[in-house]
Amino acid sequence: MTASPIPGTRPSLGITALGTYAPPRRVTNADFEARIDTNAEWIESRTGIRERRFAAPDEYTSDVGVGAVRDLLARDPDALLEVDAVICATVSPDALMPSTAALIAMQVGLTGAAAFDLSTACSGFVYGLSVAQGLILAGTARRGLVVGAEALSKIVDQDDRNTAILFGDGGGAAVVGPVPQGYGFQHFVLGADGAGGSSLYLRCAAPRLPGGFEMGETVGMNGREVFKFAVRVLGDSGNEVLAKTGLSSADVDWLVPHQANIRIIEAACERVGMPLSKTVVNLGRYGNTSSATVPLALREALDDGRIRDGQQLLLVAFGGGLSWAASTMKWWGGAPSLVARAEREAVGV
Ligand code: UT7
C-alpha cells in the first residue's frame, strides 16, 4: 500500500495522526449541586453528563491544544513532518490576537507554518479537517494540523445553571495528510445560518448582534432553540453527506457525533437511521467540550478497539453560528508519517 496518488488522480487525504488532552481536574454533577440551584439527577437525566474536566487557573486553550499535540507526538514522533499549516478551531481562544493556532504552532516546533483560528464553535473540528484538505489539494500546504481546543470553563458563567452544567475543557489534534487510495476523507457537508446566531453567543471586543441583542462576557444560550436546531441539522447533514458519498446508514460502522446532550444524539441517530450501539458516546465523562468533542470521541473509540482500519465513519457536528458540519471517511490507522519518511529516504531527500 502506498500513500502516493496515481498520477493525474486526486490524492487521498485523511487523518494520519490523532492526539487528545483533557485537564486532570474532574468536576462532577454533585459539585454543581453543592453550589448552585440544580441537582445531579436532573443534569444526568436531561443531558447524559456525569462529570467534565476543568482547566487549571493558569491553563489556557493554547496549553490544552499543545497537550493534545504532545499526545499525538507520543503516539507517532514523526507525525508533524511536512506540517506547514496549523488551524485551531476554538470559541475560547487565548486572545483574538494573536491566534491560538500561532501560539500552539510556536510551542510544538511549527513556527513559520501558516496558522489561523477557525470560529464555527462545536462544528470547528470537522470544518477544520475540510479546510486542511482544501489547503493541501490547492497545493498551499503539504500537511495540516487541525486542533480543536477549548477552555470553556473560563468563558461560561459558573453560576448560570442553564450553561454551567453543560460545558467542559479539552482538546484534540489531528494531522491531515496523504493516506492510501480508497481510505481517508470521502465528502464534507458544511453550513451555517446566522439567523440562529442569537441562540448561542459570546461577546467580543466590538460586539454587535442583529436586533440590538445584549451579549455578556460569558456564553449566552437559548437551550431549547439550540436543541431543536441540533436535532434537525445533525440528521439533515448526516443524510446529505451519506447521499453525496453514495452510502446509506447501513454502510456506516460508526457514527461519531458532537457530544452536547445524549437526547440530541439519540434523536440524531434516529434521523440518520443509526443505532446508538454504533454511535460513539463519551459525553458522560467530558460534557460538551465544543470543538474537542469529536476528536475526543474518535480517539477513545480507536484506543479501545471499537474503530478499526477500513471502517466507514460518519462524523456530524453542530454549534454556534449556528453552524453544522458532517463528514464521511474510511479510517486508516497506519503510520503515514513513517510511509512519507520511507518515501523520502527512497529518493534521497
Ligand atoms: O454545543 C451546543 C451547545 N448547546 C447545546 O447543545 C444546548 C442544547 N440544549 C440542551 O441540551 C437542553 O435544552 C438543556 C440541557 C440546556 C435544557 O434541557 P431541557 O430539557 O431543554 O430543559 P428546559 O430548558 O426545557 O427546562 C426545563 C426545566 C425548566 O424549569 P420549568 O420552567 O419547567 O420550571 C428549567 O428552569 O428545567 C429547568 N432547568 C434546570 N433544572 C435543574 C434548566 N436548567 C436546569 C438545571 N438544573 N441545570
Side-chain angles (χ1 to χ4, degrees), residues 152-196:
L152 298 176
S153 59
K154 297 187 196 302
I155 61 161
V156 168
D157 178 354
Q158 295 303 327
D159 294 326
D160 175 5
R161 70 176 187 172
N162 290 312
T163 52
I165 53 135
L166 296 175
F167 298 103
D169 302 337
V175 174
V176 173
V179 296
Q181 287 292 319
Y183 290 83
F185 304 142
Q186 293 156 314
H187 285 281
F188 287 92
V189 164
L190 308 178
D193 178 3

Short mmCIF file of all heavy atoms in Angstrom, two decimals, residues 152-196:
data_model
loop_
_atom_site.label_atom_id
_atom_site.label_comp_id
_atom_site.label_asym_id
_atom_site.label_seq_id
_atom_site.Cartn_x
_atom_site.Cartn_y
_atom_site.Cartn_z
N LEU A 152 -13.45 26.15 28.00
CA LEU A 152 -14.79 26.75 28.11
C LEU A 152 -15.12 27.16 29.54
O LEU A 152 -15.92 28.07 29.76
CB LEU A 152 -15.85 25.76 27.60
CG LEU A 152 -15.73 25.36 26.12
CD1 LEU A 152 -16.77 24.30 25.78
CD2 LEU A 152 -15.91 26.56 25.22
N SER A 153 -14.49 26.49 30.51
CA SER A 153 -14.80 26.84 31.91
C SER A 153 -14.47 28.30 32.19
O SER A 153 -15.02 28.89 33.12
CB SER A 153 -14.02 25.94 32.87
OG SER A 153 -12.62 26.08 32.65
N LYS A 154 -13.61 28.91 31.35
CA LYS A 154 -13.23 30.31 31.57
C LYS A 154 -14.20 31.29 30.92
O LYS A 154 -14.17 32.48 31.22
CB LYS A 154 -11.81 30.55 31.03
CG LYS A 154 -10.74 29.72 31.73
CD LYS A 154 -9.35 30.11 31.28
CE LYS A 154 -8.30 29.09 31.66
NZ LYS A 154 -8.20 28.79 33.09
N ILE A 155 -15.06 30.80 30.01
CA ILE A 155 -15.98 31.72 29.33
C ILE A 155 -17.45 31.40 29.62
O ILE A 155 -18.34 31.94 28.97
CB ILE A 155 -15.73 31.73 27.80
CG1 ILE A 155 -15.98 30.34 27.18
CG2 ILE A 155 -14.34 32.24 27.47
CD1 ILE A 155 -16.21 30.37 25.68
N VAL A 156 -17.65 30.47 30.54
CA VAL A 156 -19.03 30.12 30.93
C VAL A 156 -19.25 30.62 32.35
O VAL A 156 -18.38 30.46 33.21
CB VAL A 156 -19.24 28.59 30.84
CG1 VAL A 156 -20.54 28.17 31.51
CG2 VAL A 156 -19.22 28.13 29.38
N ASP A 157 -20.40 31.25 32.59
CA ASP A 157 -20.74 31.73 33.93
C ASP A 157 -21.03 30.52 34.81
O ASP A 157 -22.06 29.85 34.63
CB ASP A 157 -21.96 32.65 33.82
CG ASP A 157 -22.42 33.17 35.19
OD1 ASP A 157 -21.86 32.72 36.22
OD2 ASP A 157 -23.34 34.01 35.21
N GLN A 158 -20.16 30.25 35.74
CA GLN A 158 -20.28 29.02 36.55
C GLN A 158 -21.44 29.10 37.56
O GLN A 158 -21.72 28.13 38.26
CB GLN A 158 -18.96 28.71 37.27
CG GLN A 158 -17.82 28.37 36.31
CD GLN A 158 -18.14 27.19 35.38
OE1 GLN A 158 -18.85 26.26 35.77
NE2 GLN A 158 -17.65 27.23 34.15
N ASP A 159 -22.13 30.26 37.58
CA ASP A 159 -23.32 30.38 38.43
C ASP A 159 -24.61 30.29 37.62
O ASP A 159 -25.71 30.36 38.18
CB ASP A 159 -23.30 31.72 39.19
CG ASP A 159 -22.16 31.76 40.19
OD1 ASP A 159 -21.83 30.69 40.75
OD2 ASP A 159 -21.58 32.84 40.38
N ASP A 160 -24.51 30.17 36.28
CA ASP A 160 -25.69 30.09 35.43
C ASP A 160 -26.01 28.62 35.15
O ASP A 160 -25.33 27.96 34.35
CB ASP A 160 -25.41 30.85 34.12
CG ASP A 160 -26.56 30.72 33.12
OD1 ASP A 160 -27.61 30.12 33.47
OD2 ASP A 160 -26.41 31.21 31.99
N ARG A 161 -27.05 28.11 35.76
CA ARG A 161 -27.33 26.67 35.65
C ARG A 161 -27.71 26.24 34.24
O ARG A 161 -27.66 25.06 33.91
CB ARG A 161 -28.41 26.25 36.64
CG ARG A 161 -29.79 26.76 36.31
CD ARG A 161 -30.80 26.21 37.29
NE ARG A 161 -32.15 26.55 36.89
CZ ARG A 161 -33.24 26.08 37.47
NH1 ARG A 161 -33.12 25.27 38.50
NH2 ARG A 161 -34.43 26.43 37.05
N ASN A 162 -28.15 27.23 33.41
CA ASN A 162 -28.51 26.88 32.03
C ASN A 162 -27.31 26.45 31.20
O ASN A 162 -27.44 25.68 30.26
CB ASN A 162 -29.17 28.08 31.34
CG ASN A 162 -30.53 28.35 31.91
OD1 ASN A 162 -31.33 27.43 32.05
ND2 ASN A 162 -30.78 29.60 32.27
N THR A 163 -26.16 27.00 31.51
CA THR A 163 -24.98 26.70 30.70
C THR A 163 -23.88 25.98 31.49
O THR A 163 -23.20 25.10 30.94
CB THR A 163 -24.38 28.00 30.12
OG1 THR A 163 -24.19 28.93 31.20
CG2 THR A 163 -25.27 28.61 29.06
N ALA A 164 -23.69 26.34 32.75
CA ALA A 164 -22.52 25.86 33.51
C ALA A 164 -22.39 24.34 33.51
O ALA A 164 -21.30 23.80 33.38
CB ALA A 164 -22.59 26.37 34.95
N ILE A 165 -23.53 23.67 33.64
CA ILE A 165 -23.51 22.21 33.79
C ILE A 165 -23.14 21.46 32.51
O ILE A 165 -22.83 20.28 32.54
CB ILE A 165 -24.89 21.71 34.27
CG1 ILE A 165 -25.98 22.24 33.31
CG2 ILE A 165 -25.18 22.20 35.68
CD1 ILE A 165 -26.98 21.24 32.92
N LEU A 166 -23.21 22.18 31.37
CA LEU A 166 -23.05 21.50 30.08
C LEU A 166 -21.60 21.38 29.62
O LEU A 166 -21.23 20.40 28.97
CB LEU A 166 -23.81 22.27 28.98
CG LEU A 166 -25.32 22.36 29.09
CD1 LEU A 166 -25.86 23.25 27.97
CD2 LEU A 166 -25.95 20.98 29.00
N PHE A 167 -20.80 22.40 29.94
CA PHE A 167 -19.52 22.54 29.23
C PHE A 167 -18.30 22.11 30.03
O PHE A 167 -18.25 22.28 31.25
CB PHE A 167 -19.35 23.99 28.77
CG PHE A 167 -20.42 24.43 27.80
CD1 PHE A 167 -21.46 25.24 28.23
CD2 PHE A 167 -20.39 24.02 26.48
CE1 PHE A 167 -22.46 25.64 27.34
CE2 PHE A 167 -21.38 24.42 25.59
CZ PHE A 167 -22.41 25.23 26.02
N GLY A 168 -17.31 21.56 29.30
CA GLY A 168 -16.04 21.17 29.91
C GLY A 168 -14.89 21.58 29.01
O GLY A 168 -15.09 22.12 27.92
N ASP A 169 -13.67 21.29 29.47
CA ASP A 169 -12.47 21.69 28.74
C ASP A 169 -11.77 20.46 28.16
O ASP A 169 -11.79 19.38 28.77
CB ASP A 169 -11.50 22.41 29.69
CG ASP A 169 -12.14 23.64 30.33
OD1 ASP A 169 -13.11 24.18 29.74
OD2 ASP A 169 -11.68 24.05 31.41
N GLY A 170 -11.13 20.64 27.02
CA GLY A 170 -10.40 19.52 26.42
C GLY A 170 -9.92 19.89 25.04
O GLY A 170 -10.26 20.96 24.50
N GLY A 171 -9.13 19.00 24.46
CA GLY A 171 -8.60 19.28 23.13
C GLY A 171 -8.31 18.02 22.35
O GLY A 171 -8.11 16.93 22.91
N GLY A 172 -8.32 18.18 21.03
CA GLY A 172 -7.93 17.09 20.13
C GLY A 172 -7.10 17.68 19.02
O GLY A 172 -7.32 18.83 18.62
N ALA A 173 -6.12 16.92 18.53
CA ALA A 173 -5.25 17.42 17.45
C ALA A 173 -5.09 16.32 16.41
O ALA A 173 -4.82 15.17 16.74
CB ALA A 173 -3.88 17.80 18.01
N ALA A 174 -5.30 16.69 15.15
CA ALA A 174 -5.20 15.71 14.06
C ALA A 174 -4.29 16.25 12.97
O ALA A 174 -4.37 17.42 12.61
CB ALA A 174 -6.59 15.45 13.48
N VAL A 175 -3.43 15.38 12.45
CA VAL A 175 -2.67 15.74 11.26
C VAL A 175 -3.45 15.24 10.05
O VAL A 175 -3.93 14.11 10.04
CB VAL A 175 -1.25 15.12 11.29
CG1 VAL A 175 -0.52 15.40 9.97
CG2 VAL A 175 -0.46 15.68 12.46
N VAL A 176 -3.61 16.12 9.07
CA VAL A 176 -4.27 15.75 7.82
C VAL A 176 -3.19 15.63 6.74
O VAL A 176 -2.37 16.54 6.56
CB VAL A 176 -5.31 16.81 7.41
CG1 VAL A 176 -5.89 16.51 6.02
CG2 VAL A 176 -6.43 16.87 8.45
N GLY A 177 -3.17 14.50 6.07
CA GLY A 177 -2.17 14.28 5.03
C GLY A 177 -2.53 13.10 4.16
O GLY A 177 -3.64 12.55 4.27
N PRO A 178 -1.60 12.69 3.29
CA PRO A 178 -1.89 11.60 2.35
C PRO A 178 -2.11 10.26 3.05
O PRO A 178 -1.40 9.94 4.00
CB PRO A 178 -0.64 11.53 1.47
CG PRO A 178 0.15 12.75 1.76
CD PRO A 178 -0.24 13.23 3.11
N VAL A 179 -3.08 9.53 2.58
CA VAL A 179 -3.33 8.16 3.06
C VAL A 179 -3.48 7.30 1.80
O VAL A 179 -3.63 7.82 0.70
CB VAL A 179 -4.61 8.07 3.93
CG1 VAL A 179 -4.46 8.88 5.21
CG2 VAL A 179 -5.84 8.52 3.17
N PRO A 180 -3.42 5.98 1.93
CA PRO A 180 -3.54 5.13 0.75
C PRO A 180 -4.86 5.35 0.02
O PRO A 180 -5.88 5.66 0.65
CB PRO A 180 -3.46 3.72 1.33
CG PRO A 180 -2.73 3.87 2.62
CD PRO A 180 -3.17 5.19 3.16
N GLN A 181 -4.81 5.17 -1.30
CA GLN A 181 -6.03 5.32 -2.11
C GLN A 181 -7.17 4.48 -1.54
O GLN A 181 -6.95 3.34 -1.12
CB GLN A 181 -5.76 4.87 -3.55
CG GLN A 181 -4.90 5.84 -4.34
CD GLN A 181 -5.62 7.14 -4.64
OE1 GLN A 181 -6.80 7.16 -4.95
NE2 GLN A 181 -4.90 8.24 -4.51
N GLY A 182 -8.35 5.07 -1.54
CA GLY A 182 -9.52 4.33 -1.06
C GLY A 182 -9.78 4.55 0.42
O GLY A 182 -10.82 4.14 0.93
N TYR A 183 -8.84 5.19 1.12
CA TYR A 183 -9.02 5.49 2.54
C TYR A 183 -9.17 7.01 2.72
O TYR A 183 -8.99 7.78 1.79
CB TYR A 183 -7.82 5.01 3.36
CG TYR A 183 -7.72 3.51 3.45
CD1 TYR A 183 -7.13 2.77 2.43
CD2 TYR A 183 -8.25 2.83 4.54
CE1 TYR A 183 -7.03 1.40 2.50
CE2 TYR A 183 -8.17 1.45 4.62
CZ TYR A 183 -7.56 0.74 3.60
OH TYR A 183 -7.48 -0.62 3.69
N GLY A 184 -9.46 7.41 3.93
CA GLY A 184 -9.48 8.83 4.27
C GLY A 184 -10.81 9.50 3.96
O GLY A 184 -11.86 8.85 3.88
N PHE A 185 -10.73 10.85 3.80
CA PHE A 185 -11.96 11.65 3.63
C PHE A 185 -12.66 11.29 2.33
O PHE A 185 -12.04 11.16 1.29
CB PHE A 185 -11.62 13.14 3.58
CG PHE A 185 -10.86 13.63 4.78
CD1 PHE A 185 -9.86 14.59 4.64
CD2 PHE A 185 -11.13 13.17 6.06
CE1 PHE A 185 -9.14 15.06 5.73
CE2 PHE A 185 -10.43 13.63 7.16
CZ PHE A 185 -9.42 14.57 6.99
N GLN A 186 -13.98 11.20 2.42
CA GLN A 186 -14.79 11.00 1.22
C GLN A 186 -15.50 12.31 0.88
O GLN A 186 -15.21 12.93 -0.11
CB GLN A 186 -15.76 9.84 1.46
CG GLN A 186 -15.01 8.52 1.60
CD GLN A 186 -15.77 7.47 2.38
OE1 GLN A 186 -16.33 7.76 3.44
NE2 GLN A 186 -15.81 6.25 1.88
N HIS A 187 -16.40 12.75 1.75
CA HIS A 187 -17.10 14.01 1.48
C HIS A 187 -17.33 14.80 2.76
O HIS A 187 -17.35 14.24 3.87
CB HIS A 187 -18.44 13.74 0.81
CG HIS A 187 -18.29 13.35 -0.63
ND1 HIS A 187 -18.05 14.27 -1.63
CD2 HIS A 187 -18.28 12.14 -1.23
CE1 HIS A 187 -17.92 13.64 -2.78
NE2 HIS A 187 -18.05 12.35 -2.56
N PHE A 188 -17.49 16.11 2.55
CA PHE A 188 -17.86 17.01 3.65
C PHE A 188 -19.14 17.75 3.28
O PHE A 188 -19.36 18.05 2.10
CB PHE A 188 -16.77 18.06 3.89
CG PHE A 188 -15.53 17.52 4.55
CD1 PHE A 188 -14.46 17.08 3.79
CD2 PHE A 188 -15.44 17.45 5.93
CE1 PHE A 188 -13.31 16.58 4.39
CE2 PHE A 188 -14.30 16.96 6.55
CZ PHE A 188 -13.22 16.52 5.77
N VAL A 189 -19.94 18.05 4.28
CA VAL A 189 -21.06 18.99 4.13
C VAL A 189 -20.88 20.03 5.23
O VAL A 189 -20.78 19.67 6.41
CB VAL A 189 -22.42 18.27 4.29
CG1 VAL A 189 -23.55 19.28 4.52
CG2 VAL A 189 -22.74 17.41 3.07
N LEU A 190 -20.77 21.30 4.84
CA LEU A 190 -20.58 22.37 5.82
C LEU A 190 -21.71 23.38 5.64
O LEU A 190 -22.15 23.62 4.51
CB LEU A 190 -19.25 23.10 5.61
CG LEU A 190 -17.98 22.25 5.53
CD1 LEU A 190 -16.77 23.15 5.25
CD2 LEU A 190 -17.76 21.47 6.81
N GLY A 191 -22.16 24.00 6.72
CA GLY A 191 -23.19 25.01 6.58
C GLY A 191 -23.30 25.90 7.79
O GLY A 191 -22.73 25.61 8.85
N ALA A 192 -24.03 27.01 7.61
CA ALA A 192 -24.27 27.93 8.73
C ALA A 192 -25.53 28.73 8.46
O ALA A 192 -25.92 28.91 7.30
CB ALA A 192 -23.09 28.88 8.91
N ASP A 193 -26.16 29.22 9.52
CA ASP A 193 -27.36 30.04 9.40
C ASP A 193 -27.31 31.10 10.50
O ASP A 193 -27.65 30.83 11.66
CB ASP A 193 -28.61 29.16 9.55
CG ASP A 193 -29.90 29.98 9.49
OD1 ASP A 193 -29.82 31.22 9.28
OD2 ASP A 193 -30.97 29.39 9.68
N GLY A 194 -26.86 32.30 10.11
CA GLY A 194 -26.69 33.39 11.08
C GLY A 194 -27.99 33.82 11.74
O GLY A 194 -27.96 34.49 12.78
N ALA A 195 -29.13 33.45 11.14
CA ALA A 195 -30.42 33.82 11.74
C ALA A 195 -30.56 33.21 13.13
O ALA A 195 -31.28 33.72 13.98
CB ALA A 195 -31.57 33.38 10.84
N GLY A 196 -29.86 32.08 13.34
CA GLY A 196 -29.92 31.44 14.66
C GLY A 196 -28.80 31.91 15.57
O GLY A 196 -28.61 31.37 16.67
#
